[in-house]
Amino acid sequence: MPVNKAFVLASRPSGMPSADNFRLIETPVPEPGEGQVVVRHHFLSVDPYMRSRMNAGGSYAEPQAIDAVMLGGTVGEIVASRHKRFKVGEIVVNYGGWQLYALSDGSDLNKVERRSFPLSVYLGAVGMPGVTAWYGINRILKPKAGETVAVSAATGAVGSVVGQLARRAGARTVGIAGGSEKCAYATRELGYDACIDHRATNFAEQLAAAVPKGIDGLFENVGGEPFKQCMSHLNDFARVAICGLIASYNGAPTTLPDMRIVLVKRATIQGFIVSDDMSIWPAALGELGGLADKGELKYRETITEGLERTPDAFIGLLNGRNFGKQIVKLA
Ligand SMILES: NC(=O)c1ccc[n+]([C@@H]2O[C@H](COP(=O)([O-])OP(=O)(O)OC[C@H]3O[C@@H](n4cnc5c(N)ncnc54)[C@H](OP(=O)(O)O)[C@@H]3O)[C@@H](O)[C@H]2O)c1
């Protein structure tokens, strides 16, 4: 009898999570009932939003329940089916959580094809993070040729796609990332015109030099001091997409910019959640999948092997240890 292994939330963290906040459990792999399927997960996505869900409340979504399997996006293969629409062997993207197998009634399953890119990319550039980038670019920043777009966490799952989409729209792109290796990758591989290390002591000077014509579109993934600095370079009628504030997810205060800039520059600031408008997903995934298939959308992954190492991969993500999309390989 195959065994399903899963991580449940054992306790809520205060500050940075630790391995004790998770508990590994083992149960038999379920048999599908009428109208159900069993998915064997190949890859699991670990994402920053999981940290907010570990808190008791106060976010846009319901908190993760204690003793429930940790939530998370997955891609896998149907290994047993008693459902009319799904056959054994089909590949699906689902929200199966931190576990090896998931039982589903089909309502959360999206069939995908094997293409020229690995299946894990359906959790990154051609998945939720890619759609997040697409939403922020096409619905909020709307960059025009010759404008300047700045992006924080520029080599990450979302940021790497933001930079490439903004560049395709003809914008000058300026990334912000942690460390010289990530910055070199941003300019050499992702096509950013410049990338600045947020740990550099002369960050403010480097940013000023990188945006000589100011910033027209700011895609914010992190918050903190670099965000404040970017805000001080906004141009008239600049657009700011607040996608994430990862620097404060473990309790650090969010650093607010001087709000006079919003008035003086008549800037628009918009927070958004990628699930706000599900109608954009097919178009976004179609475009991103097409680009990735043709090799025109670059992506990078940090792949951690084995479910047991998921808490470590997640804590690494919250510390910037990942380089590109953080994935856990399960099969
Ligand atoms: N609004 C939405 O619907 C939506 C959807 C998906 C993601 N998001 C948000 O988008 C952001 C990026 O998510 P992602 O999945 O693409 O993650 P990611 O960028 O692949 O990984 C997180 C990156 O954030 C940076 N980071 C982590 N802790 C930091 C800290 N304390 N200070 C400064 N930088 C830190 C690190 O990059 P560096 O080493 O380069 O600093 C790290 O690699 C997150 O804020 C996330 O919550 C929002």
Side-chain angles (χ1 to χ4, degrees):
M1 185 75 164
V3 170
N4 185 27
K5 293 184 183 179
F7 274 105
V8 298
L9 180 65
S11 57
R12 301 197 187 280
S14 82
M16 183 62 78
S18 66
D20 310 343
N21 296 127
F22 310 96
R23 189 173 61 251
L24 189 61
I25 60 165
E26 294 191 6
T27 52
V29 173
E31 288 288 330
E34 188 56 37
Q36 292 184 322
V37 303
V38 174
V39 182
R40 182 181 185 202
H41 298 145
H42 288 210
F43 297 100
L44 161 68
S45 173
V46 284
D47 295 272
Y49 73 81
M50 294 167 175
R51 175 63 190 86
S52 311
R53 301 273 175 96
M54 292 171 81
N55 294 335
S59 190
Y60 60 89
E62 285 296 302
Q64 160 84 48
I66 296 281
D67 291 334
V69 174
M70 284 290 297
L71 302 165
T74 38
V75 59
E77 182 181 355
I78 309 256
V79 290
S81 177
R82 293 183 64 196
H83 193 294
K84 279 189 236 126
R85 282 203 303 119
F86 297 98
K87 290 201 276 296
V88 168
E90 286 182 323
I91 303 293
V92 290
V93 171
N94 58 334
Y95 203 55
W98 293 23
Q99 58 182 339
L100 300 181
Y101 296 86
L103 185 66
S104 168
D105 65 3
S107 59
D108 66 325
L109 305 183
N110 287 305
K111 286 188 204 181
V112 291
E113 293 166 11
R114 286 190 186 272
R115 296 171 85 166
S116 62
F117 48 82
L119 290 181
S120 53
V121 177
Y122 283 119
L123 302 176
V126 188
M128 182 278 283
V131 178
T132 304
W134 192 99
Y135 189 117
I137 285 288
N138 290 293
R139 291 294 158 94
I140 302 176
L141 299 191
K142 301 177 183 161
K144 296 184 205 68
E147 288 191 332
T148 298
V149 170
V151 188
S152 53
T155 64
V158 175
S160 58
V161 179
V162 173
Q164 293 179 85
L165 294 181
R167 186 164 180 262
R168 292 179 76 84
R172 171 177 171 75
T173 54
V174 177
I176 297 165
S180 55
E181 204 192 342
K182 286 186 179 177
C183 280
Y185 170 76
T187 49
R188 284 196 208 130
E189 299 292 328
L190 298 176
Y192 282 95
D193 293 288
C195 182
I196 305 154
D197 180 356
H198 59 75
R199 300 179 197 139
T201 48
N202 65 344
F203 175 85
E205 289 81 4
Q206 287 196 49
L207 177 67
V211 296
K213 294 186 184 162
I215 293 173
D216 303 288
L218 173 58
F219 196 106
E220 189 52 48
N221 283 318
V222 176
E225 196 54 36
F227 170 50
K228 265 175 85 173
Q229 293 289 339
C230 286
M231 288 290 290
S232 70
H233 290 281
L234 292 188
N235 288 331
D236 286 353
F237 305 108
R239 290 81 65 200
V240 179
I242 305 290
C243 174
L245 296 168
I246 193 169
S248 58
Y249 291 176
N250 288 303
T254 48
T255 316
L256 280 180
D258 180 348
M259 294 304 281
R260 275 180 307 181
I261 192 88
V262 178
L263 172 63
V264 173
K265 300 295 181 181
R266 289 86 86 210
T268 304
I269 304 184
Q270 188 179 336
F272 74 104
I273 299 297
V274 64
S275 51
D276 286 342
D277 182 1
M278 294 307 289
S279 72
I280 63 139
W281 281 61
L285 288 173
E287 182 180 332
L288 296 166
L291 290 173
D293 218 13
K294 287 185 281 178
E296 291 178 16
L297 183 67
K298 301 232 169 126
Y299 53 84
R300 181 175 175 132
E301 301 171 315
T302 294
I303 299 200
T304 301
E305 296 262 349
L307 180 78
E308 284 77 0
R309 294 179 60 207
T310 308
D312 183 54
F314 175 58
I315 293 164
L317 175 79
L318 298 175
N319 283 299
R321 216 167 61 209
N322 63 306
F323 192 165
K325 175 71 191 118
Q326 178 65 58
I327 295 284
V328 181
K329 187 171 186 304
L330 301 179

